Amino acid sequence: MSESTVLVLGSDPPPKLDRLAGRARVIFADETSLAGLLPTADVLLAWDFTSDAIREAWPEKGPRPAWVHTASAGVDRLLCPALIADDTLVTNARGVFEQPIAEYVAGLVIAMAKDFYGSWELQRQRRWQHRETLRVAGSRAVVVGSGPIGRAIGTTLLALGVKVDLVGRRARPEDPEFGLVHPSEALNGLLPQADWVVCAAPLTEATRGLFGKEAFALMPPRARFINIGRGPLVVEDDLVAALRGWRIAAAALDVFEQEPLTADSPLWDVPHLIVSPHMSGDTLGWRDALAEQFQDNFDQWSAGRPLRNLVDKRLGYVPVG
């Protein structure tokens, strides 16, 4: 294959693409220049995976990249009708974020169960106040999303002795790790028994607003809710009402409807809510891992071999298997 043109959306900080030297011409675009450069590119790397620019600039006709890779697990920020309909291949960063996110969720579960926040606050006040806390082993978690991230979360919680109900789009009996993957229509029947509800689902039209007033009403008062998926999976006003009304015990959000949160967002002051700035998968060296993954897939593409992590654009994620 002759030298290809790789267009990179975002350059802060720039990806380390040393292995493409002599094999590809690498050019960079920002949100204002992207539309004009798309027709010149063979490959598009969505390095800035928080941008909606690809969805807004994707051409409905004429030249366009043959392959788009996003440096994120989710593809909702780039998919649009024109991109879904054409022959462009889309891949994602499956394999980079799963275990870090699973560790983050496990940390939240332990911190909530053992009331670490309360200990820190009492220490700040120099108060000695003995309390009893919860056992993690023997509790039950409902993990919504049976892709690699949801499965990593589930297996990590299993290692802590948590009973895990994994929920996917459709039922998968005789699962080697979980016994059964429940179908999405079983979710409402599982929520009343949950001590922990973890949202790791992809954002699609079917899952948007999945956790709203009705879902929170089904959870028992002891339930703790965690979202590391996508912000629009949760109706934030309904979550706030559930927390302020003590209808659930606590929650943690790492993703939000609008990011970053503004300084005047009411979410900062909601009782029993932990807010973190979309960082659950970002461990030291994560950008280098993303760049290596893209270059490995570029080797596949250059050699005419099948791309790894190929997204089903109509489903909005990489199908299991």
Side-chain angles (χ1 to χ4, degrees):
M1 179 182 290
S2 59
E3 185 179 72
S4 304
T5 297
V6 174
L7 176 62
V8 181
L9 172 62
S11 58
D12 185 24
K16 297 178 181 178
L17 302 176
D18 300 343
R19 287 165 50 195
L20 301 189
R23 306 169 59 203
R25 182 172 70 102
V26 179
I27 56 177
F28 291 87
D30 59 19
E31 293 186 346
T32 59
S33 62
L34 179 66
L37 291 171
L38 276 174
T40 71
D42 300 296
V43 178
L44 172 62
L45 169 58
W47 188 247
D48 179 3
F49 52 80
T50 66
S51 173
D52 294 322
I54 296 172
R55 189 168 59 203
E56 296 167 356
W58 194 260
E60 294 189 3
K61 58 184 179 179
R64 78 281 309 276
W67 166 34
V68 176
H69 177 81
T70 180
S72 67
V75 296
D76 51 281
R77 302 302 291 262
L78 59 90
L79 288 182
C80 61
L83 176 53
I84 292 171
D86 68 22
D87 295 330
T88 298
L89 302 175
V90 174
T91 57
N92 72 352
R94 175 177 175 172
V96 173
F97 297 110
E98 287 87 338
Q99 194 54 39
I101 292 176
E103 293 169 4
Y104 200 88
V105 170
L108 285 169
V109 167
I110 293 171
M112 289 179 176
K114 303 306 178 185
D115 192 26
F116 287 166
Y117 179 83
S119 293
W120 292 327
E121 179 60 22
L122 289 167
Q123 178 180 343
R124 188 185 66 81
Q125 299 175 22
R126 298 175 178 264
R127 291 173 57 196
W128 181 277
Q129 182 177 319
H130 181 269
R131 287 114 57 226
E132 295 176 345
T133 61
L134 303 174
R135 285 195 65 179
V136 174
S139 64
R140 181 174 294 277
V142 174
V143 179
V144 183
S146 61
I149 292 175
R151 293 187 71 88
I153 292 168
T155 54
T156 301
L157 294 179
L158 284 173
L160 295 174
V162 178
K163 301 171 185 177
V164 175
D165 292 309
L166 187 64
V167 179
R169 194 165 66 97
R170 56 171 62 96
R172 293 202 295 275
E174 300 181 7
D175 185 88
E177 292 170 304
F178 301 96
L180 167 68
V181 175
H182 300 272
S184 57
E185 56 266 24
L187 176 61
N188 286 352
L190 295 170
L191 290 178
Q193 287 78 47
D195 299 292
W196 314 97
V197 179
V198 183
C199 181
L203 178 61
T204 67
E205 287 309 307
T207 60
R208 185 178 296 273
L210 179 64
F211 286 96
K213 182 179 180 179
E214 295 79 7
F216 295 123
L218 289 170
M219 298 177 195
R222 68 179 184 275
R224 275 98 172 150
F225 174 76
I226 299 170
N227 184 21
I228 48 78
R230 284 289 185 265
L233 294 165
V234 176
V235 181
E236 291 175 353
D237 288 345
D238 292 349
L239 174 60
V240 170
L243 288 168
R244 292 194 183 279
W246 282 100
R247 290 195 290 276
I248 62 173
L253 299 178
D254 187 56
V255 288
F256 304 87
E257 181 77 36
Q258 297 293 329
E259 296 183 11
L261 282 185
T262 59
D264 60 353
S265 170
L267 292 173
W268 294 111
D269 300 315
V270 176
H272 327 296
L273 174 63
I274 297 172
V275 169
S276 58
H278 204 149
M279 59 181 282
S280 60
D282 300 349
T283 53
L284 294 174
W286 67 287
R287 291 186 178 89
D288 291 344
L290 289 171
E292 284 299 307
Q293 182 188 60
F294 171 72
Q295 290 174 109
D296 288 345
N297 230 2
F298 186 86
D299 292 343
Q300 295 288 110
W301 188 74
S302 297
R305 295 191 294 265
L307 290 171
R308 302 185 181 108
N309 295 354
L310 190 62
V311 172
D312 183 321
K313 294 186 289 185
R314 297 195 180 276
L315 293 177
Y317 52 87
V318 179
V320 174

